[in-house]
Amino acid sequence: VATDPNRPAYSATAGYERVDDQDDPDALVELMDETAGWPAVIALRAFEAEHLALSPGQSLLDVGCGRAEVACALAPSVQPGGRVVGVDASEAMLADARRRAERAGTDLELGVGDATALDLPDATFDAVRCERTLQWIPDPSAAVAELVRVLRPGGRISLIDTDWRTLAVDLPDATAELDVMRAILDARGPQASAGGQLVNLCRDAGLVDIEVLPVVHPFLGWDLDERPAPPGIIPVEELLPELVDLGILDETTVTTFTEQYLGAARAGRFFMSLTMFGVAAAKPG
Ligand SMILES: C[S@@+](CC[C@H](N)C(=O)[O-])C[C@H]1O[C@@H](n2cnc3c(N)ncnc32)[C@H](O)[C@@H]1O
């Protein structure tokens, strides 16, 4: 899909896995701005800050740091004397991150890297975080192994992710809704449910003191005259044709779903929900 010249601006299968290969990487950067305002994301980041319990002089690594919004927010907690390192696969994301850090007057060490092969020494960081990135990595357990490798014994780790299996829209045709959700999951692969896998990813990596916070984000509707989709969500008109092209969804289902999804928004009776998870844990000391 990513190499198809006719693919839509957003590719459901490539997505944040290859931001820089997209037609419009900045659209993905902007979408992150919208999701940062979701109350669920705000709640999960607060849970994380409490559990990382950073203190002056400590080191923090943010893997898949994106726009480095959280890295900037947490940086003052490790000063004086600490350091915050951000790694991301996308130059477009890091360009935004550099501008943000400069505006905030925050000293971040930012660089391109792959979560599954970090160019960092073992047992380096007091704390490691990774938010909404494992869901874009074909082998999330390889990434978690890397996060644990660079964490010092006794260090703390925070993983935040979405479980796209939980996306549910209240529509009259529940079968069309289930078919669309199934097609989205098929296109994205098993990592799309990374949120629900976080606890066992931590157990499998030998982490201890595992704590979990599930948060459901409600979408109560949006004004179709103002925007094509709820904040932070890809418009169905961009997403669903790609699933048809992939041969995993039929046109009739797309038409039914789209009419009912947009119709619910127009009628002021749209409701959709999505569960996200925050997991905090420690590396045995
Ligand atoms: C949905 S964004 C989340 C960004 C940020 N953590 C946040 O929550 O605002 C996913 C990020 O993961 C990055 N990413 C995807 N695959 C990656 C990989 N293998 N290694 C490092 N970063 C990756 C993307 O470039 C993107 O910035």
Side-chain angles (χ1 to χ4, degrees), residues 102-122:
E102 204 176 305
R103 273 200 308 273
T106 305
D107 191 17
L108 300 181
E109 298 170 43
L110 297 169
V112 173
D114 178 1
T116 62
L118 293 170
D119 187 15
L120 293 163
D122 294 356

Side-chain angles (χ1 to χ4, degrees), residues 3-254:
T3 53
D4 180 350
N6 298 317
R7 76 195 155 108
Y10 175 86
S11 157
T13 47
Y16 287 89
E17 187 181 332
R18 289 186 300 272
V19 171
D20 296 349
D21 290 347
Q22 296 279 352
D23 291 341
D24 186 2
D26 289 341
L28 290 175
V29 176
E30 279 163 30
L31 208 61
M32 291 315 301
D33 262 331
E34 295 190 346
T35 59
W38 288 0
V41 171
I42 292 167
L44 289 165
R45 288 176 176 176
F47 169 83
E48 167 184 80
E50 191 185 316
H51 282 80
L52 288 181
L54 294 166
S55 55
Q58 289 198 318
S59 54
L60 169 69
L61 171 67
D62 187 351
V63 176
C65 63
R67 303 145 55 246
E69 187 190 39
V70 175
C72 282
L74 293 177
S77 314
V78 298
Q79 296 309 337
R83 66 188 283 233
V84 177
V85 177
V87 171
D88 199 279
S90 159
E91 288 283 7
M93 285 285 177
L94 288 171
D96 191 81
R98 283 193 193 96
R99 285 193 291 270
R100 183 178 313 273
E102 204 176 305
R103 273 200 308 273
T106 305
D107 191 17
L108 300 181
E109 298 170 43
L110 297 169
V112 173
D114 178 1
T116 62
L118 293 170
D119 187 15
L120 293 163
D122 294 356
T124 305
F125 293 92
D126 297 296
V128 174
R129 75 177 299 273
C130 183
E131 178 181 342
R132 292 180 290 162
T133 295
L134 295 176
Q135 64 175 283
W136 297 104
I137 296 177
D139 185 356
S141 63
V144 173
E146 275 294 85
L147 305 183
V148 173
R149 179 182 68 75
V150 300
L151 187 63
R152 69 158 167 81
R156 298 201 59 85
I157 185 167
S158 162
L159 306 176
I160 293 175
D161 233 306
T162 314
D163 188 334
W164 290 98
R165 280 176 305 192
T166 66
L167 187 67
V169 203
D170 180 28
L171 298 182
D173 189 333
T175 307
E177 193 256 354
L178 285 173
D179 286 349
V180 167
M181 296 309 158
R182 163 62 69 127
I184 292 172
L185 291 177
D186 284 352
R188 288 279 318 274
Q191 64 270 35
S193 58
Q197 300 166 21
L198 293 180
V199 168
N200 279 324
L201 283 166
C202 287
R203 287 180 176 140
D204 293 346
L207 295 167
V208 295
D209 300 337
I210 298 171
E211 293 193 47
V212 58
L213 177 69
V215 183
V216 179
H217 181 67
F219 300 86
L220 288 160
W222 78 101
D223 185 347
L224 269 165
D225 292 331
E226 304 243 312
R227 49 181 309 126
I233 293 291
I234 304 295
V236 283
E237 300 92 318
E238 287 178 32
L239 184 63
L240 301 188
E242 184 182 330
L243 302 178
V244 174
D245 289 348
L246 286 168
I248 51 179
L249 198 59
D250 64 79
E251 295 271 13
T252 311
T253 303
V254 169

